[in-house]
Amino acid sequence: MKVVVSDLIGTPGAHRQDQISLEVAAVMDAAKLEGPVTGSVRYDAGVRDIMASGRMEYVATAICIRCLIEFDYPGKATFSQLYADDPQSEDVMQIHEHGVIDIEPPIRDEVVLSLPLSPVCRPDCAGLCSTCGTDLNREPCEGHDDVSSSPFAILAQLLDPEDL
Ligand SMILES: [Zn+2]
Ligand SMILES: [Zn+2]
């Protein structure tokens, strides 16, 4: 996303704030984003550089790691990126001709990092029964005989291998 900051360049101390919206697509194991990322970005002019910083919000689609339902995950990400005419390090990005900077890469990076690795649909999600798969948020599991009290286990005890 290209932004013109020529009005700020060469005016140390000058700043401007813009509302922006851009599309970011990212797919992680348990979360997927394919919608707009919105927020407010502030541009601060230094002597020979521009600092862009902002706070972004988005809604991703996540899969609860406990009960496996899909839910909307509201996410937030902050970023700040320095731009210069003549970047002296890899951390600084280029100010292009006519005072144009690209704010998409730093925003995309921070948004991807902010996607949840182990999302849960709600803090008290009960998850699925590991034996029968019942969604314990909707109905309780009736329980399972543990293996040692099942008819087959009892039969196995009665049949002593020595007698066979
Ligand atoms: Zn859940
Ligand atoms: Zn169960």
Side-chain angles (χ1 to χ4, degrees):
M1 179 176 197
K2 308 285 192 285
V3 177
V4 179
V5 292
S6 53
D7 54 322
L8 300 173
I9 293 171
T11 318
H15 66 85
R16 191 178 88 211
Q17 192 128 5
D18 289 347
Q19 294 295 322
I20 65 156
S21 175
L22 74 164
E23 297 291 318
V24 175
V27 180
M28 307 282 282
D29 284 348
K32 173 175 76 180
L33 175 62
E34 47 195 7
V37 171
T38 59
S40 121
V41 180
R42 179 182 162 122
Y43 309 94
D44 282 284
V47 176
R48 2 187 66 212
D49 50 27
I50 298 281
M51 173 67 87
S53 56
R55 183 181 296 272
M56 312 302 295
E57 295 186 359
Y58 60 86
V59 178
T61 303
I63 297 171
C64 175
I65 56 162
R66 293 188 198 154
C67 71
L68 305 180
I69 64 153
E70 273 194 5
F71 66 101
D72 286 346
Y73 174 90
K76 285 187 172 61
T78 58
F79 79 98
S80 60
Q81 175 67 50
L82 191 62
Y83 297 83
D85 279 332
D86 181 18
Q88 300 292 322
S89 104
E90 282 183 4
D91 296 336
V92 181
M93 289 180 71
Q94 179 79 46
I95 299 177
H96 299 287
E97 244 182 288
H98 310 300
V100 172
I101 61 174
D102 185 0
I103 60 169
E104 190 169 335
I107 292 176
R108 192 183 340 104
D109 287 352
E110 292 300 328
V111 165
V112 169
L113 282 175
S114 73
L115 287 169
L117 296 174
S118 307
V120 284
C121 63
R122 54 179 215 238
D124 62 346
C125 171
L128 304 180
C129 169
S130 60
T131 302
C132 68
T134 296
D135 183 344
L136 303 176
N137 293 314
R138 292 187 203 175
E139 52 182 328
C141 165
E142 285 167 8
H144 308 278
D145 292 333
D146 66 55
V147 182
S148 63
S149 65
S150 76
F152 296 107
I154 291 166
L155 197 62
Q157 278 166 18
L158 293 175
L159 294 172
D160 187 333
E162 298 282 319
D163 296 342
L164 294 176

